[in-house]
Amino acid sequence: MSDQRVGVGTSGRNVAGEAPAEEPDAVTDDATVHDDDVELERTIGLVGGLAIGIGTMIGAGIFVFPGLAAANAGPAAALSFAIGGVIALLVALPTSELATAMPRSGGGYYFISRGMGTAYGAIVGLGLWLGLVFASAFYLVGLGHYATAVLAEVGVALSFDPVVAIGLLFGAGLTALSIGGTENTAKLQNGVVGVLLVVLTGFLSYGVLDAVGVFGGGAVPETFFSRGHFPVLTTAALVFTSYLGFAQVATVAGEIKRPSRNLPLAMVGSVLVVAAFYVVTIFVATSAFGADRLGRFGETAMVEVAREFLGLPGAIAILGAGLLATFSSANASILSASRAVYALSRDALLPRRASEINLRYGTPHVALLAAGGPILVLVATGQVELLAEVASFLHLIMYGLICVVMIVLRRRDPTWYAPSYRVPGYPVVPGVGALASFGLIAFMQPASIGVGVAVMITSYLWYRYYAADVTLKGAVRQ
């Protein structure tokens, strides 16, 4: 068992008179142990880490974006997804190095606050929390839509629109499940992702064989760059939201078993698996209908592709898979949002009560409620599409800064920075990752950029008001 002794030079107090909590007395393969004998148990293994990353990412890329992406870029939308995957991989590699050096809950927030200072950390940490809250609400509303579509497909008629009610029900249930223990959540996540991957693998395998003429008439003939080359890049910016999940693994780093091995494998592995599924999905979908017809189906395009291949059973199967995907994404995002709150609270950027650990279950129950409560409020509105895009903006800011902080720490080379995994191709890989992350923001809608900037400014003002005297600097005793 590894035992990494930790001591961080924190100082100052917030307006409530609270100082940052001492760093863990020990970080082992089994738990993160604090000086008050409270442990945040390491209950999530490699499979659980992969399930968090894949489960968060697999939803929108397959069940929402194919029709929209095909309308914008034609068959070359497959290249757009591949470009998004490459950028995600460029960020996942530096994130993996930082996570093995600092395997704590909080992920990107923790890395940036220790490497670049409290102000940067506050902006990223509060933005990460709010971004995950908005994303979770979006997934839950999507879950409600899929559940409603399944009911309609099998002929169940209701006298009211159940979308919001279903989203609220599942949001409350998933929050309660997470309070009951991350081991329970991880087991559920593993099962859901396993079923989802089996369904998609079977469906896409059939689709590939149909596209090459084994079962059907082959692909619909179409020029690959039928919309030109520039739309490939704008579509890559659109679909990059499909790749936000890999960093959620780092957010629960404090609960990953054997972090020096499992963190890099979970993050990089989840990006590679999901990118392959996305590219194959677009190939199959555009082969079945052609980009123009696929684009007209919009967000339900994959249901129509399944109906084309397998009739009503295929449509119901993909609707069920979409239900599982949105459920999985919401589950992983709620867990990660609570861990962001937990990390902010321990650093005195939010009230200390938010980092209390439930002694029965070993989970941060107040932080989970701080995530679940706002999520339910947003779900009740039923209108979170813009907020979901704002979440992407906030994540891209964090991804770019993660790459920057890795370069900063490599150059400073503090004695406590001793990652067990080091990024190959330094400094090119993190440098390109930072430029690509910030560059994609230029292709977003102006309204989303405006709201995202407003969230960042508000986060900075909160820091100046609540925790301006708090200083966070990382130092690991060997």
Side-chain angles (χ1 to χ4, degrees):
M1 176 187 297
S2 66
D3 186 342
Q4 190 180 50
R5 304 299 295 179
V6 182
V8 170
T10 60
S11 64
R13 294 180 179 272
N14 60 28
V15 295
E18 300 166 340
E22 289 298 320
E23 278 295 290
D25 281 344
V27 178
T28 73
D29 286 340
D30 299 315
T32 303
V33 186
H34 298 282
D35 57 2
D36 51 4
D37 293 328
V38 175
E39 296 188 6
L40 192 59
E41 294 184 68
R42 294 189 181 279
T43 59
I44 303 174
L46 174 59
V47 173
L50 284 167
I52 289 173
I54 294 172
T56 307
M57 288 188 283
I58 205 72
I62 288 179
F63 297 100
V64 177
F65 282 134
L68 303 176
N72 290 339
L79 181 58
S80 300
F81 275 102
I83 291 171
V86 170
I87 295 173
L89 191 60
L90 289 171
V91 178
L93 292 171
T95 305
S96 298
E97 175 173 325
L98 293 167
T100 61
M102 296 173 274
R104 314 288 191 277
S105 290
Y109 155 72
Y110 190 93
F111 310 150
I112 292 165
S113 64
R114 267 54 182 181
M116 299 179 70
T118 312
Y120 286 100
I123 293 171
V124 168
L126 292 168
L128 175 61
W129 167 36
L130 295 173
L132 289 168
V133 164
F134 295 144
S136 299
F138 178 78
Y139 294 137
L140 287 167
V141 172
L143 187 153
H145 280 291
Y146 269 102
T148 302
V150 169
L151 294 175
E153 197 72 45
V154 298
V156 176
L158 298 175
S159 59
F160 65 97
D161 187 350
V163 170
V164 170
I166 292 172
L168 289 171
L169 178 65
F170 276 92
L174 287 174
T175 302
L177 183 68
S178 294
I179 291 174
T182 56
E183 189 170 4
N184 296 330
T185 306
K187 286 180 179 178
L188 178 63
Q189 188 80 353
N190 293 352
V192 169
V193 173
V195 171
L196 186 60
L197 292 181
V198 168
V199 171
L200 290 174
T201 299
F203 168 68
L204 294 176
S205 297
Y206 183 96
V208 169
L209 293 174
D210 183 88
V212 298
V214 174
F215 296 144
V220 175
E222 194 168 6
T223 304
F224 188 70
F225 291 105
S226 60
R227 307 291 195 276
H229 294 82
F230 185 73
V232 174
L233 297 176
T234 58
T235 303
L238 170 68
V239 303
F240 188 76
T241 56
S242 305
Y243 289 101
L244 298 185
F246 71 88
Q248 316 305 44
V249 181
T251 308
V252 294
E255 294 156 86
I256 298 285
K257 298 176 182 177
R258 300 179 63 190
S260 62
R261 169 185 177 269
N262 291 338
L263 279 169
L265 288 177
M267 277 186 276
V268 174
S270 61
V271 170
L272 292 175
V273 169
V274 170
F277 270 94
Y278 287 167
V279 172
V280 173
T281 295
I282 288 294
F283 169 73
V284 168
T286 54
S287 296
F289 287 126
D292 288 335
R293 188 178 174 195
L294 187 69
R296 289 195 292 271
F297 289 131
E299 295 179 354
T300 62
M302 290 309 296
V303 177
E304 300 308 318
V305 173
R307 195 190 307 276
E308 176 76 8
F309 286 151
L310 303 171
L312 179 60
I316 293 176
I318 289 302
L319 279 170
L323 193 64
L324 287 176
T326 51
F327 176 92
S328 175
S329 296
N331 182 37
S333 296
I334 290 171
L335 177 65
S336 297
S338 71
R339 291 342 182 234
V341 174
Y342 174 83
L344 286 163
S345 173
R346 287 194 61 83
D347 285 342
L349 301 182
L350 288 175
R352 176 61 49 80
R353 180 171 171 76
S355 60
E356 289 182 359
I357 299 293
N358 185 294
L359 296 180
R360 179 178 179 183
Y361 299 114
T363 55
H365 60 289
V366 178
L368 278 161
L369 293 174
I375 287 169
L376 294 180
V377 172
L378 290 175
V379 169
T381 69
Q383 302 293 325
V384 294
E385 289 83 355
L386 176 63
L387 300 178
E389 193 171 11
V390 172
S392 299
F393 172 93
L394 296 170
H395 278 81
L396 283 168
I397 292 293
M398 181 181 73
Y399 291 167
L401 289 177
I402 283 174
C403 294
V404 170
V405 77
M406 200 213 84
I407 295 173
V408 169
L409 289 174
R410 283 277 196 106
R411 289 184 174 179
R412 290 180 183 170
D413 195 25
T415 56
W416 57 265
Y417 188 70
S420 57
Y421 168 82
R422 287 186 174 266
V423 174
Y426 169 84
V428 175
V429 170
V432 174
L435 291 175
S437 298
F438 294 139
L440 277 181
I441 292 174
F443 296 98
M444 298 185 72
Q445 295 295 323
S448 300
I449 295 174
V451 175
V453 169
V455 169
M456 292 175 64
I457 292 173
T458 302
S459 298
Y460 177 75
L461 293 176
W462 169 261
Y463 154 72
R464 293 294 302 171
Y465 160 73
Y466 191 77
D469 294 332
V470 173
T471 302
L472 303 171
K473 290 294 180 182
V476 176
R477 292 198 304 265
Q478 302 299 322

